[in-house]
Amino acid sequence: MANTRHPQRGRHARNTARQTRPRHAGPGNRRGRIIGSDARPTTRTTLLTQQVRRTALMAVLCAIMLAVVTAWRIMPATALATPAAAATTRAQTTSGLTLRAGENLTLAGHSFTATLLGSYGNTQISGDTVASIEVRGSTASNAWISRAIAEVNGSLAQDRRITVPAGQDEAGTLARITDAALLRKLAGALAAASGKPAAAANRSTIEPSLHLPLADGLYLIEDSQGLPMILGTTIGGRHLAGQRLGEATIKAKGVEVGKHLIVDGEAKDSGSLAVGATAHWRIGFTLPHDGDGTTTAGRLIDSPKGQRYMSGSFAATLNDGTDVTRLIDVYEEGQTVPASTVVPGDTPVIVPAGGFGARLDRLIAAHPSRAVTISVQTIVTRTDDGRHPQQINGDFRYWDGTSTVTPPTTERIVDVDTFGFTLRKSAQSESTRLLDGAGFTLQEATTGIWLNRDPASGAWTRISSEADAQTRLTGDTNDDGLVDGQDDAGDRGVIRYAGLAAGSYIVRETKAPAGFSANALALPRLIVTISEDGTVTFRGDGMASGLVSTQGEQAGTVRVANVENLLQLPATGGSMSWGAWLAVSGLLISCAAWAGVVGIGRRCRADVAEHGGYDDDEQDDDEQDDDEQDDDEYDDGRAERIACTFAAVTGCSSSPFHGRAASGAWHARIMRSRRRARHAPQARTVVRQHT
């Protein structure tokens, strides 16, 4: 170092530098004082002294740190902070409470009020959970809790009564109770007790869950539509060992049971079915919460009118498809649903006619708060008024260890209706003349399926073959296929169609009453449409649609007439009848035919005369005259047959073809003109050209 600072060599140079350089010391001189010839040894000593000092300083620091760590391990937790300080710190934490509805439900209609019972303090934490904690109430909350405890103690045996230990308050005593049933009773007593402190929160929602932002502590939660609960928030986000905090599923006062009629895969609140049809039903509800200090019993009672439960059709599933039918005890008409074995005070119930009953206790215990769907089938039976309502009642009860809570019974009614109409058969010429023995078939307009009615049950059976379709007779009130003294004389000429579902139907007359035309053109056909509200409309269809009328009839009644012949058929859009149209048409055809024959005859004679008459081989002689006379007689007979055929088709005894046609002159003239034309070869060619 000396040589570096003083490049001169030798002792003389070093002495000269020492004498001329000023002496100094202090922080600016890292080596301290510099002195003459022993500068190098003095520098080593200084460095060694500084190193010792540094080592000593580090040793002192390590000793202090070791002392602090040792003190941390042996010092009790309470020495770090007083209970008051811990309570103050945690009061600023707002973990809150989360309330949830059961599966497939919302909290719509529920209003929740939270009232603080006590705050947390003296927390002992073990890992991610809390090993122990103290709860301390305020003066007001402790007085409120004290009144609730006194109320509950009045219903408990001496050895089960709640006492407040020395050194603890009412809130802390309440927090140490682990009997869920007793806590449920205390919650009810707190909700009813006087002197309740101001609420910490009051919230509502229409969602499936609700979060209440509350400071950490123990609270009474009151539900406007459910049972009160005592709940604790998490402790700074932590749970107690073996117990989750800060969340709960509400226990509603009642269970809402829904029931729907399934039509073409769609759930409906009402509908229409025919008597004899199978009704498919879907019943849905969410099981009540269980295991929170209560045991729950539940049953369903189905009370139908005009329907009958199909034995063996009962099936139940959870939302995830799990079949839980085996957990439900099902009872049928006349059987008794026994009283619950888990809730005292329950009573047995007899299943009403046509219905079913179900005991749900085992299902609730196995799957609390889960949504359940039940499927059943019923057969629609005949009723006098066409009404077939389905009513189901859900009855659920809770036992809290000392008393039974009975919420209101849930009732659901689904309306099912059947409809009908009346057909009156009369003569077209005399509307008041009712006719027995006319036969009609009934067919679904949309599917083409024929419907047959069972006289005993009134049930309709769907038939796909027209050959098997039932023909019902007017006046045959007992549907035995005969109109006789066994029938109701007050329904002469009438068919009553009852127990039908809403829809469109084709009513077709297949058999005319005696004395009336059985021609297909004279047999009426009508479309009957029944709306969902039971309104019935009628519309005639086909050439005989004019025979269908509702004029002067009551609602739901149609008059269907018969004619003796086609000439009596009414028009379907004009003022002339079918008979008039046939007469006019026949007259026009006759005139046209007569004019054609006369014209052809004149042309034939003119052509023959123009070509010089007939050939010699074709001259008239006696044999030819005899042949023409035979032909004339044949033609006369043919004309008579034409007239008779027309009368048979139309049902008319007089026609425009009678008169001249009967004498054979009209038709014979045509035949003679044709024969004379054949006698002249040249005229025959002319005739062909003109025809």
Side-chain angles (χ1 to χ4, degrees):
M1 297 292 293
N3 290 338
T4 302
R5 289 174 176 261
H6 307 283
Q8 298 88 348
R9 302 293 182 182
R11 179 181 296 272
H12 174 75
R14 290 193 295 271
N15 291 336
T16 302
R18 184 172 60 248
Q19 293 174 2
T20 59
R21 188 186 317 148
R23 295 176 180 269
H24 59 276
N29 185 356
R30 294 184 302 164
R31 297 184 182 182
R33 301 178 65 184
I34 302 177
I35 47 179
S37 60
D38 57 349
R40 185 179 300 273
T42 301
T43 300
R44 291 195 182 100
T45 302
T46 301
L47 292 174
L48 180 60
T49 301
Q50 291 177 352
Q51 184 67 31
V52 170
R53 290 175 179 174
R54 291 192 188 98
T55 303
L57 180 61
M58 292 181 64
V60 170
L61 292 175
C62 290
I64 293 173
M65 292 178 64
L66 181 61
V68 170
V69 171
T70 303
W72 177 272
R73 289 186 174 274
I74 65 175
M75 185 181 298
T78 54
L80 296 178
T82 63
T88 302
T89 301
R90 288 187 175 82
Q92 298 172 355
T93 305
T94 55
S95 302
L97 291 171
T98 299
L99 305 176
R100 297 186 179 89
E103 189 177 25
N104 282 1
L105 297 178
T106 70
L107 297 176
H110 293 257
S111 178
F112 298 95
T113 301
T115 305
L116 181 64
L117 295 168
S119 301
Y120 296 151
N122 287 344
T123 304
Q124 299 294 323
I125 299 174
S126 175
D128 293 333
T129 61
V130 177
S132 65
I133 192 172
E134 289 186 1
V135 176
R136 292 286 181 178
S138 65
T139 301
S141 66
N142 283 330
W144 170 44
I145 298 171
S146 178
R147 284 187 285 270
I149 291 176
E151 177 67 25
V152 172
N153 281 341
S155 63
L156 299 178
Q158 184 68 35
D159 58 345
R160 293 193 59 200
R161 291 182 178 177
I162 304 168
T163 58
V164 179
Q168 294 186 8
D169 61 6
E170 285 77 5
T173 301
L174 186 66
R176 285 177 171 80
I177 296 175
T178 58
D179 187 335
L182 186 56
L183 283 173
R184 178 68 70 178
K185 289 185 68 67
L186 282 167
L190 285 166
S194 60
K196 188 185 306 180
N202 192 317
R203 299 288 181 88
S204 61
T205 184
I206 60 173
E207 301 299 326
S209 64
L210 173 67
H211 182 73
L212 299 175
L214 299 169
D216 287 4
L218 188 66
Y219 289 85
L220 172 71
I221 304 299
E222 296 177 78
D223 179 6
S224 62
Q225 299 295 325
L227 302 181
M229 300 175 288
I230 297 175
L231 298 175
T233 67
T234 59
I235 307 164
R238 294 182 175 89
H239 301 274
L240 285 173
Q243 180 182 358
R244 289 191 62 82
L245 301 173
E247 59 186 27
T249 300
I250 68 167
K251 193 177 189 73
K253 292 180 180 178
V255 176
E256 187 68 26
V257 178
K259 186 172 186 177
H260 295 89
L261 176 66
I262 307 303
V263 180
D264 297 329
E266 181 181 355
K268 294 189 174 183
D269 293 329
S270 62
S272 174
L273 294 171
V275 173
T278 300
H280 297 264
W281 297 95
R282 182 183 299 161
I283 303 167
F285 57 95
T286 297
L287 296 169
H289 190 57
D290 199 44
D292 54 355
T294 63
T295 54
T296 307
R299 69 181 174 214
L300 299 175
I301 300 295
D302 188 71
S303 307
K305 174 187 175 184
Q307 296 189 50
R308 184 181 68 254
Y309 166 70
M310 288 182 61
S311 180
S313 66
F314 189 100
T317 59
L318 300 179
N319 259 9
D320 59 6
T322 303
D323 190 334
V324 292
T325 307
R326 61 183 179 81
L327 295 176
I328 302 175
D329 303 310
V330 182
Y331 304 88
E332 299 184 13
E333 173 183 345
Q335 295 180 336
T336 299
V337 180
S340 173
T341 59
V342 298
V343 174
D346 195 18
T347 56
V349 177
I350 299 177
V351 178
F356 69 88
R359 171 59 68 187
L360 307 173
D361 298 6
R362 293 188 296 130
L363 179 63
I364 296 171
H367 302 283
S369 300
R370 296 294 302 276
V372 179
T373 299
I374 295 175
S375 300
V376 297
Q377 297 177 20
T378 59
I379 299 297
V380 180
T381 58
R382 179 170 53 189
T383 61
D384 294 334
D385 59 359
R387 305 282 294 173
H388 308 260
Q390 266 277 1
Q391 176 177 324
I392 190 165
N393 294 333
D395 185 10
F396 296 85
R397 303 185 179 199
Y398 312 111
W399 171 251
D400 61 7
T402 57
S403 61
T404 298
V405 179
T406 306
T409 298
T410 300
E411 181 179 278
R412 179 81 168 96
I413 298 177
V414 181
D415 289 327
V416 178
D417 297 318
T418 58
F419 306 108
F421 61 92
T422 301
L423 183 149
R424 296 175 65 248
K425 169 60 71 173
S426 70
Q428 173 66 8
S429 58
E430 188 179 356
S431 61
T432 58
R433 180 186 172 191
L434 299 180
L435 305 176
D436 288 334
F440 290 86
T441 59
L442 183 65
Q443 185 181 19
E444 292 180 352
T446 54
T447 64
I449 296 294
W450 280 267
L451 299 176
N452 292 354
R453 181 177 182 273
D454 185 308
S457 65
W460 293 95
T461 303
R462 305 174 80 242
I463 303 296
S464 58
S465 173
E466 183 177 7
D468 298 326
Q470 178 188 50
T471 297
R472 299 183 67 192
L473 301 178
T474 55
D476 182 15
T477 58
N478 58 9
D479 283 327
D480 62 356
L482 299 173
V483 179
D484 51 25
Q486 301 299 319
D487 298 306
D488 185 357
D491 275 349
R492 181 179 180 185
V494 171
I495 296 180
R496 298 189 184 278
Y497 293 90
L500 294 172
S504 294
Y505 300 91
I506 300 173
V507 180
R508 193 192 317 268
E509 184 171 355
T510 57
K511 179 179 180 296
F516 290 84
S517 176
N519 189 284
L521 298 178
L523 297 180
R525 179 175 179 266
L526 62 150
I527 307 297
V528 181
T529 302
I530 305 175
S531 65
E532 290 289 344
D533 64 0
T535 302
V536 185
T537 58
F538 304 94
R539 176 174 60 85
D541 187 54
M543 298 184 67
S545 60
L547 298 176
V548 177
S549 174
T550 58
Q551 186 174 2
E553 301 293 342
Q554 296 180 352
T557 301
V558 63
R559 184 173 67 89
V560 180
N562 277 109
V563 295
E564 297 174 356
N565 55 69
L566 295 183
L567 297 181
Q568 295 178 344
L569 285 175
T572 57
S575 59
M576 297 180 65
S577 68
W578 273 100
W581 278 113
L582 288 173
V584 171
S585 300
L587 214 42
L588 291 175
I589 293 172
S590 300
C591 293
W594 179 262
V597 170
V598 172
I600 292 174
R602 288 177 178 176
R603 286 182 177 273
C604 288
R605 287 194 295 274
D607 291 339
V608 171
E610 182 180 350
H611 290 83
Y614 301 103
D615 295 340
D616 293 340
D617 296 338
E618 304 281 339
Q619 296 296 325
D620 293 333
D621 51 22
D622 294 339
E623 183 179 353
Q624 183 66 30
D625 292 338
D626 294 339
D627 291 340
E628 289 182 359
Q629 183 177 1
D630 294 340
D631 291 341
D632 291 344
E633 293 176 356
Y634 171 77
D635 295 337
D636 292 342
R638 186 176 180 182
E640 182 65 25
R641 287 194 297 273
I642 292 175
C644 292
T645 302
F646 177 83
V649 171
T650 63
C652 183
S653 60
S654 60
S655 73
F657 295 103
H658 282 73
R660 295 184 61 88
S663 63
W666 178 71
H667 191 268
R669 185 177 181 86
I670 296 175
M671 296 299 104
R672 282 194 292 271
S673 298
R674 290 181 178 177
R675 282 196 298 275
R676 288 169 182 170
R678 287 197 301 270
H679 290 170
Q682 295 177 351
R684 186 164 57 248
T685 303
V686 175
V687 171
R688 288 175 180 169
Q689 292 174 351
H690 286 287
T691 59

